[in-house]
Each structure stands twice: as C-alpha cells, then as structure tokens.
Amino acid sequence: MSLSRTAGAALLALALASVAVPASATTNAAGARYVALGDSYASGTGAGSYSDVACTRSRNAYPALWAAANAPASFTFAACGGATIPDVLGGQVDELGDDTTLVSLSIGGNDSGFASTMLSCQYSTQSACERALRTAGEYVVNELPGELDSLYATVRARAPHAEVVVIGYPHLYKEGGLCLGGLSSAKRTAVNQGSDLLNETIAGRAEAAGFAFADGRPAFAGHEICTSDAWISSTNVHPTAVGHASAYLPAFSAAVSAD
C-alpha cells in the first residue's frame, strides 16, 4: 500500500501466518526463479536503502531480504509503491513466465482507499473516520473479491508452475491504552477492524485460487504503532526495516518452506 490511493485504513493489517496451498511443488530456494509483485508493503516504502526511488524499492524489504538470504537462480523485484491491481495487471505480471517458480504478492490496500481513509482517521472526527472505513469496507466486500479473482487467475496463467504466496497487511495500531500524539482508542479499534475485513477477503480469494496466504497480523503483533517497540512507522504507516526483517521476512519464509 502507499499513501497514493485510498484504502480502508482498516486495510493495514497483516504480517503472515501461512495457510497451506494446494497445488505447487516445494520451492527449492537455491534454484528458485522468484518474482515479487505488489504495492508499497512489498516494495518497502519507509524501510530506507532504496534501489529504485520512484517505486520505493528497498533493499530492506522482505523480498530483497529473502533473495539475499537464499540466493535464488533469479530474482525480479517488480513491486512498486502506490501500485493497485490494475498496475499489477498492466505491467508487473509481464515479469512472470513458465520458468517462474516462486511469486510473492501484496495488493488490495490502495484499491480500497488506504490513503484517504488514513487521512480521515488521522485528521478528522471519529464519525468521519468511520464513514471512510465504511466506504472502504463496501468496496472490499462488493468489488475487491472479483478483482482479486481476475488478478490471481492471470498470475496463475502467466506462471503456471509457480508457488504463489499472497501477503497480508498488519494491524497498524495497538488497541486500548494511551497513544500520545496518535489516534484515539476508538479510531484505532475501527482501523484494525477494517484491516481484518480486508485481510479476510484477501485470504479467502487466495485460498480459492490455490495460493498460500501469509497473514501479517500475527507477525507484527505487539509491535504496532503506539507500542514501545513499534515496527510500523507512525509517520508513514508502513513497516520499518526492522518490521520487514523481524516480521514479514520470517512469515514469508515460513509460508514458502511450509509448502
């Protein structure tokens, strides 16, 4: 996700608890041909050390970290900050091929209205925040499933032999207690509930497509914004370099090896 298109603030939760995926052979890391697709939560916006500033592709992002640790036969980092489903379909999927053996994909937040929803919740009233989340939720329930189905079908057609791991979004905020300089407790709860809806929808469509789903919420649990050891930046509401290394990378790695 990226603060460039709106997505139910609730759309930010996850960090990867994998769900077994039906078809696909076990990925041999050393011989893998890995393609990373998605938005800013995959590209590493906010994680620093960018190899591509325009797309905020970070060397600290979990796809780059996994590639560095596993030395796959090839690694294509196509994820780009601000990307939507049409962006993935319009260019990123061109990096897939018959020889692709591993694909990671994080998408759906920007399509749902992440940026504007977060702005409403950060700078407007509780009622304005809830209205924005309701609008995002309606999209997530009524439109996102079909768009994900089309995208996942395209990914499978372009990479028929690949193991595909869909990555979810983390809860952005801790619930309850004080959050000095941050959102009220009611807003934090509402945002996380929206995130749950987004993740459940993505997980359901991933499972229907035969893809694994790595849930980011457990991975970042206890390290949300307003915790004493946050792995998500309060300024840009994206995972930090530590968040990618300590939450997303282990979750993604577990999902791949579990297949």
Side-chain angles (χ1 to χ4, degrees), residues 16 30 87 146 222 232:
L16 319 151
D87 293 325
I232 299 172

Side-chain angles (χ1 to χ4, degrees), residues 27-37 42-43 61-79 95-97 99-106 162-165 167 248-249 252-253 256:
T27 299
N28 180 317
R33 295 188 177 277
Y34 171 34
V35 179
L37 309 176
S43 72
Y62 72 84
L65 294 176
W66 189 91
N70 291 279
S74 67
F75 170 51
T76 302
F77 201 177
E95 302 297 339
L96 302 175
D99 62 346
T100 302
T101 62
L102 176 63
V103 177
S104 61
L105 173 59
S106 170
E163 174 184 3
V164 181
V165 179
I167 315 301
Y248 267 147
L249 177 60
F252 175 58
S253 299
V256 172

